[in-house]
Amino acid sequence: MKPTHIITVFKVLTTIGFYFLLFITAAFFVFSLINIASNQSFNTPTLKNNNYKVISFSDNKGTTEVKYSDNKQLRYQLLQNEYYVQINPSSPFGYYTMLLTFVYLLLGIFTLRTFRKILKEIQLEAPFTGKIVRLLKYVAAVFIIADFIKVINYIIFNQYLHQQMPTLGFKLQSEIGSGFIIGAITWIIVAIYQRGVELQTENNLTV
């Protein structure tokens, strides 16, 4: 497939993803307002985002017996210290979780919007431009900020769990670090791309 065709495909996919995420964000915002206005409780169906997987570090929780497949090539074990907790959407912390989800959706929209701009700026005859470097810096910053928010939320969420159920030793299960890694890799790409801009500028001046 030709490079121009690949770029076109990515432009289409990014545009679809951008508008789809816009729709999801708008729907989430509307449903969140409905939840707040209707003062929902646990007896009312709620948005799935209020469910969180946690693990208990209490001393009286453990695991069950390990079991094996017939050929002994696979084993499995039921963990008794994993739980799903649901936050009341009408509680102050429920409002916090809704706000946090909304922030993540906005970061996603900003990222896709930036990728759309990058794809529109790419010109195969002169691929290195200062504007693309600036846009890539924005993307790197968003990934790092998103992971930083995850770290802050992990601390806040665990403090809330400890206040509500101190004896169970609940801790939120969260993947932290991928955003920092992607952001760092993007910064490396930015540095390489920046050098490409300098070389292209020098070449244009020489010509």
Side-chain angles (χ1 to χ4, degrees), residues 89-110:
S90 297
S91 66
F93 204 77
Y95 301 151
Y96 163 78
T97 59
M98 289 181 186
L99 177 62
L100 187 66
T101 302
F102 189 66
V103 168
Y104 279 127
L105 288 172
L106 291 179
L107 289 176
I109 290 173
F110 178 81

Side-chain angles (χ1 to χ4, degrees), residues 153-173:
N153 177 61
Y154 181 81
I155 297 172
I156 294 174
F157 208 102
N158 288 337
Q159 282 292 111
Y160 174 77
L161 291 174
H162 179 72
Q163 291 175 1
Q164 296 295 318
M165 294 163 286
T167 59
L168 294 177
F170 280 164
K171 297 291 182 182
L172 177 68
Q173 291 196 17

Side-chain angles (χ1 to χ4, degrees), residues 64-78:
T64 60
E65 179 184 358
V66 177
K67 296 184 179 181
Y68 294 83
S69 61
D70 293 337
N71 57 9
K72 302 295 183 180
Q73 293 184 9
L74 181 146
R75 69 178 181 180
Y76 61 96
Q77 185 177 21
L78 175 65

Side-chain angles (χ1 to χ4, degrees), residues 102-165:
F102 189 66
V103 168
Y104 279 127
L105 288 172
L106 291 179
L107 289 176
I109 290 173
F110 178 81
T111 302
L112 287 175
R113 181 172 177 268
T114 305
F115 274 125
R116 288 185 69 206
K117 289 183 176 181
I118 291 173
L119 292 171
K120 288 180 180 179
E121 285 293 323
I122 292 179
Q123 302 293 332
L124 294 180
E125 61 275 9
F128 300 102
T129 65
K131 187 173 182 179
I132 292 181
V133 171
R134 185 170 66 255
L135 293 172
L136 285 173
K137 288 181 180 180
Y138 292 159
V139 172
V142 167
F143 279 111
I144 294 174
I145 290 171
D147 238 22
F148 182 74
I149 293 175
K150 280 186 180 180
V151 173
I152 301 300
N153 177 61
Y154 181 81
I155 297 172
I156 294 174
F157 208 102
N158 288 337
Q159 282 292 111
Y160 174 77
L161 291 174
H162 179 72
Q163 291 175 1
Q164 296 295 318
M165 294 163 286

